[in-house]
Amino acid sequence: MRVLGVGEFYNLASPDSLERALVTDRDAFAKSPGFRVAFGENVLSTAGEQWQRQREALDEFFYPARIRDYADRMVELTDRRLERWDDDTELSLHEELSGTALDNFFGTLFDRPLDPDGDERLRRAASDINLWFKPTSFALPRWVPTPARRRFSRAVETVEREARRLLDERSRAVERGEAKAGDDLLSTLVALREAEGEEATLSDPEIVDQVVGLVFAGHDTTALAMTYALHQIGTHPEVRERFHAELAEVLGGDRPTLSDVGDLEVTERLLNETLRLYPPIHTIPRVTTRPVEMGDYRLAGDTRTHLSVWAVQRDDRFWEDPHEWRPARWRDTSPQDAGYAYAPFGAGPRLCLGRRFALLEAKLVLALVGQRFELDPQRPLEFEPMSTTQPAHEVPARVTRR
């Protein structure tokens, strides 16, 4: 395939392609350089030994035991935001869920709750980081100063300034004995920044880049999944009834806890189906490092490829009625059963670091919203793909207290 301004690339859209590029032949498919341009030297964009060092430094905070500790805090922070939703009013689902996800990210991993009435520059910046991949800019040479790229640059500068401020602030807290490495991710990054010799596993610029990348990846994809799930619940009355019935039966009017999550089976099915039909990461870009045979095609070295998660998860060879949102399809199967025909979090060693965090957060937030509100979406979903599956417009919904 050839696209004006982009050149030639191959779109790979089969479970076998995903498996080979992400698992069995992953050495032949390197990260696209566009990620490093956008996100710097962080775990989203680096490779090899550098990526291994960064991944090991962050892994602890995404272990299942650690993530389970975040559940009560997520409920508290989400409740705080939902208290601001008025009865019988219209709001933007995407804007509200993006704010919720950013609140949960900062309040758990960084132990630094955002001000509900402030931090607006940071909130806007976290959203604008996506603009590097806006289609009208991405097809142009990198030196062209488009409006989207200017907003992207300002957003990165804003998040970098906030990262340095937070690191300095937490460094002083560590000096005063008010925090220590291991308490939260921010304190651990401070310890890595100030370590010397063999203990200095990450450089100072790398640590700032980790914060930028995590702020983007730690809220955007989860916010999209929750937005699209709530939109679909609101437009499918039968699913909505089962969803509310499950919340009443399992929770009995109480706020959800970690022990409730496993019993929210309807909620899990509708989330799985949303991640299938509307995967937040629609495409995984790669560049071949050597010649590769893919079916009837031979890809030369240094060939740009797009692994289309969106196409695979909507392919009627692997899914019945693939364009329909049908949570019931997950009643007798699981994501593991689908193999590489279902890969919303990628696969292989670079499987999304925050997938457990995202799934726990999404289930808790959906439950909290569903307990309190009925949602009536005001327009159909349309999309403007960037690095993630962004809505082409706001996602308005009228909310009514239950």
Side-chain angles (χ1 to χ4, degrees), residues 319-339:
W319 303 95
E320 183 180 348
D321 299 322
H323 297 284
E324 293 185 15
W325 188 77
R326 287 175 40 194
R329 76 173 77 240
W330 297 98
R331 185 176 290 122
D332 300 315
T333 189
S334 71
Q336 291 73 29
D337 295 332

Side-chain angles (χ1 to χ4, degrees), residues 10-18 20-21 25 29 291-299 317:
Y10 284 82
N11 195 47
L12 306 181
S14 71
D16 179 64
S17 298
L18 293 180
R20 289 188 60 189
D25 293 332
F29 293 86
V292 183
E293 300 286 341
M294 298 291 286
D296 296 330
Y297 295 90
R298 185 179 188 274
L299 279 59
R317 291 175 296 174

Side-chain angles (χ1 to χ4, degrees), residues 231-232 235 376-382 392-397:
H231 181 280
Q232 293 301 89
T235 55
D376 180 17
Q378 299 297 293
R379 64 186 300 179
L381 290 174
E382 297 177 19
H393 47 67
E394 289 298 338
V395 186

Side-chain angles (χ1 to χ4, degrees), residues 229 233 239 243 266-274 325 327 366:
I233 292 168
V239 175
F243 172 59
V266 172
T267 306
E268 181 169 352
R269 290 199 292 269
L270 63 86
L271 181 58
N272 287 342
E273 180 66 351
T274 300
W325 188 77
L366 293 181

Side-chain angles (χ1 to χ4, degrees), residues 66-81 99-116 170 183-184 255-258 357 360-361 364-365 368:
R66 175 73 75 139
I67 288 172
R68 288 193 289 268
D69 290 340
Y70 301 146
D72 289 345
R73 187 67 167 143
M74 289 176 177
V75 170
E76 175 189 342
L77 292 166
T78 302
D79 249 345
R80 185 182 71 173
R81 175 167 283 272
T100 300
L102 198 65
D103 289 350
N104 285 332
F105 173 82
F106 271 87
T108 55
L109 290 169
F110 284 179
D111 193 27
R112 189 281 204 191
L114 297 179
D115 181 352
R170 193 56 54 89
D183 285 352
D184 56 76
R255 292 292 175 253
T257 65
L258 179 65
F357 183 99
L360 174 62
E361 178 184 3
L364 291 171
V365 172
L368 285 162

Side-chain angles (χ1 to χ4, degrees), residues 215-247:
V215 165
F216 170 68
H219 91 283
D220 182 60
T221 53
T222 312
L224 291 170
M226 296 189 296
T227 297
Y228 299 149
L230 287 172
H231 181 280
Q232 293 301 89
I233 292 168
T235 55
H236 290 75
E238 291 184 3
V239 175
R240 183 173 63 231
E241 288 180 12
R242 289 194 293 271
F243 172 59
H244 288 307
E246 174 179 82
L247 296 180

Side-chain angles (χ1 to χ4, degrees), residues 44-287:
L44 294 176
S45 57
T46 53
E49 186 273 336
Q50 185 182 20
W51 171 79
Q52 191 67 44
R53 285 190 292 106
Q54 295 180 355
R55 180 82 179 214
E56 289 174 357
L58 300 175
D59 257 348
E60 173 192 351
F61 292 90
F62 296 94
Y63 288 159
R66 175 73 75 139
I67 288 172
R68 288 193 289 268
D69 290 340
Y70 301 146
D72 289 345
R73 187 67 167 143
M74 289 176 177
V75 170
E76 175 189 342
L77 292 166
T78 302
D79 249 345
R80 185 182 71 173
R81 175 167 283 272
L82 294 183
E83 287 292 344
R84 302 161 65 87
W85 289 18
D86 293 326
D87 183 27
D88 194 27
T89 190
E90 187 174 298
L91 49 75
S92 165
L93 280 182
H94 185 222
E95 181 179 335
E96 286 298 318
L97 273 301
S98 292
T100 300
L102 198 65
D103 289 350
N104 285 332
F105 173 82
F106 271 87
T108 55
L109 290 169
F110 284 179
D111 193 27
R112 189 281 204 191
L114 297 179
D115 181 352
D117 297 309
D119 292 311
E120 283 306 312
R121 288 191 65 204
L122 179 59
R123 295 177 190 277
R124 286 196 302 272
S127 175
D128 285 352
I129 290 176
N130 218 320
L131 291 174
W132 176 263
F133 299 94
K134 190 176 179 67
T136 53
S137 293
F138 193 64
L140 298 173
R142 293 175 184 171
W143 54 264
V144 178
T146 66
R149 285 178 177 172
R150 286 195 291 269
R151 284 178 60 189
F152 163 81
S153 297
R154 289 194 296 269
V156 170
E157 290 172 2
T158 297
V159 178
E160 285 180 344
R161 282 197 302 271
E162 179 67 6
R164 293 189 180 94
R165 189 188 71 78
L166 289 174
L167 289 165
D168 290 342
E169 181 183 273
R170 193 56 54 89
S171 181
R172 291 190 292 272
V174 170
E175 289 176 1
R176 295 191 298 266
E178 298 170 1
K180 64 180 185 297
D183 285 352
D184 56 76
L185 181 54
L186 200 59
S187 298
T188 297
L189 290 175
V190 165
L192 292 172
R193 183 175 72 165
E194 298 178 354
E196 298 179 354
E198 293 183 0
E199 298 299 320
T201 56
L202 299 181
S203 67
D204 188 76
E206 280 183 295
I207 289 170
V208 172
D209 285 346
Q210 299 312 315
V211 176
V212 175
L214 288 168
V215 165
F216 170 68
H219 91 283
D220 182 60
T221 53
T222 312
L224 291 170
M226 296 189 296
T227 297
Y228 299 149
L230 287 172
H231 181 280
Q232 293 301 89
I233 292 168
T235 55
H236 290 75
E238 291 184 3
V239 175
R240 183 173 63 231
E241 288 180 12
R242 289 194 293 271
F243 172 59
H244 288 307
E246 174 179 82
L247 296 180
E249 179 181 351
V250 174
L251 304 179
D254 296 329
R255 292 292 175 253
T257 65
L258 179 65
S259 62
D260 297 318
V261 169
D263 295 323
L264 296 175
E265 296 177 358
V266 172
T267 306
E268 181 169 352
R269 290 199 292 269
L270 63 86
L271 181 58
N272 287 342
E273 180 66 351
T274 300
L275 290 170
R276 182 197 67 82
L277 191 59
Y278 308 114
I281 301 296
H282 55 85
T283 303
I284 304 173
R286 290 289 188 266
V287 179

